Amino acid sequence: MIFKWMRNRRRRKLAESPFPDEWLGIIHHNCRHYATLTSTERVRLLRDVRWFLDEKSIEVSLGLTLTDEMRVTVATQASLLGLGFAAPPFDRLITVILQPEIYVGTRIQREASGLELHSQEQRLGEAQRNGPVLLSWRDVVRQCRDAPDGRNVVLHEFAHLLDMADAAADGIPPLETEEQYRTWMDVTRIEYRRLVGQAEHGRHTLLDWYGATNEAEFFAVATETFFEQSVEMQKLHPRLYDVLCAFYKQDPASRWLRLAA
Ligand SMILES: [Zn+2]
């Protein structure tokens, strides 16, 4: 209670103080979504970036020296995801760790027999419910500037955090109404199965095949496409686009279309 009161007081102070010019320059240079936002959305985003940087610890692993460019770029991209919610949604997150580039992690698969299989895999990032978010800085900065392939590791890993907010990593984040759950299940199950079938047959798809791994990855990949290839998604997957619009309370396709007009 006291913690919350102190945090809110601190947040009010931060929201009232001017946003550093140098940070704004970094956002203009690295975060192309910023140009698509309305002035009201920009004010909210900058406020959330300040709060994020004040409340979360962004650290680097061996081989990197932490800079404001790293801190501000990660905070901006993560805050974009939560822009439509009443308040920034990443309360549980404490630490983000940047790796210089793609790194090797250990994948643990549990067999039905209880046996655990350990294997090594290359990763751009990872998110755990009670642990840090790990991100490859080289990919963060490249994708935040121009997402050449519609991928965005920050959006992907922070979507996993939203999914895990209700404990289960099952591709179903906490929703507001029964009706929203029903629609979510109807639409995402069909879309997920369709992607699995297309990936099995090697067909070209807008959604990355990695989304066919399981429902949790499907939600994270669909989130990337929702923000990075919004107009195409609205055209090719209108029901999925609408479900994500209702969840994120954002309509990124209309932003890109307004910018292009
Ligand atoms: Zn993932």
Side-chain angles (χ1 to χ4, degrees):
M1 194 74 174
I2 289 176
F3 167 75
K4 213 167 181 181
W5 179 82
M6 281 172 60
R7 188 189 70 177
N8 289 343
R9 191 160 160 256
R10 197 173 164 83
R11 281 186 169 189
R12 266 198 306 279
K13 267 186 137 176
L14 279 171
E16 284 161 7
S17 59
F19 195 83
D21 282 346
E22 194 198 325
W23 290 8
L24 196 56
I26 293 167
I27 293 174
H28 277 294
H29 190 249
N30 279 2
C31 308
R32 76 201 180 296
H33 284 273
Y34 187 71
T36 72
L37 304 180
T38 64
S39 52
T40 312
E41 287 169 332
R42 288 181 186 193
V43 170
R44 158 73 192 253
L45 184 78
L46 297 186
R47 184 202 72 177
D48 290 2
V49 167
R50 293 212 80 159
W51 290 357
F52 191 101
L53 291 175
D54 188 57
E55 293 165 17
K56 318 296 181 199
S57 170
I58 301 182
E59 299 167 9
V60 288
S61 66
L62 269 180
L64 281 180
T65 305
L66 187 65
T67 62
D68 274 357
E69 183 188 13
M70 294 169 183
R71 298 176 69 242
V72 172
T73 303
V74 168
T76 305
Q77 197 65 66
S79 298
L80 176 78
L81 202 62
L83 200 60
F85 300 123
F90 305 114
D91 272 356
R92 296 177 70 95
L93 174 72
I94 297 169
T95 309
V96 177
I97 300 172
L98 297 175
Q99 303 278 351
E101 54 183 321
I102 287 181
Y103 60 97
V104 175
T106 304
R107 183 187 182 86
I108 303 170
Q109 276 177 296
R110 278 181 191 86
E111 300 279 283
S113 62
L115 199 69
E116 278 190 355
L117 297 177
H118 291 234
S119 57
Q120 303 282 294
E121 64 176 14
Q122 293 205 313
R123 289 182 181 162
L124 295 184
E126 61 190 274
Q128 292 150 16
R129 187 163 184 263
N130 293 312
V133 167
L134 269 69
L135 299 164
S136 151
W137 167 243
R138 198 182 67 176
D139 294 278
V140 168
V141 72
R142 187 175 63 92
Q143 294 171 343
C144 290
R145 276 186 198 145
D146 55 32
D149 48 8
R151 303 303 308 266
N152 189 307
V153 65
V154 182
L155 297 177
H156 182 107
E157 301 307 337
F158 279 79
H160 279 316
L161 289 190
L162 295 177
D163 181 9
M164 291 186 281
D166 58 2
D170 54 3
I172 312 165
L175 302 171
E176 286 167 0
T177 64
E178 284 296 315
E179 176 62 28
Q180 218 181 345
Y181 273 106
R182 262 196 302 276
T183 313
W184 184 280
M185 299 305 286
D186 284 352
V187 174
T188 58
R189 271 185 189 156
I190 292 169
E191 291 274 1
Y192 170 64
R193 284 192 202 124
R194 200 198 323 172
L195 184 63
V196 170
Q198 288 168 323
E200 278 170 2
H201 289 94
R203 294 206 188 103
H204 176 75
T205 49
L206 179 66
L207 294 162
D208 193 276
W209 289 346
Y210 189 63
T213 308
N214 56 43
E215 285 90 344
E217 296 304 341
F218 179 79
F219 169 58
V221 166
T223 293
E224 292 178 75
T225 312
F226 177 69
F227 283 97
E228 299 296 358
Q229 295 177 304
S230 323
V231 178
E232 295 91 331
M233 188 190 216
Q234 192 178 34
K235 217 177 282 173
L236 296 174
H237 302 269
R239 292 194 72 204
L240 183 59
Y241 183 84
D242 286 348
V243 159
L244 292 171
C245 264
F247 172 65
Y248 283 112
K249 296 186 174 67
Q250 299 192 56
D251 181 5
S254 70
R255 289 183 192 142
W256 291 110
L257 290 171
R258 194 175 54 227
L259 193 71

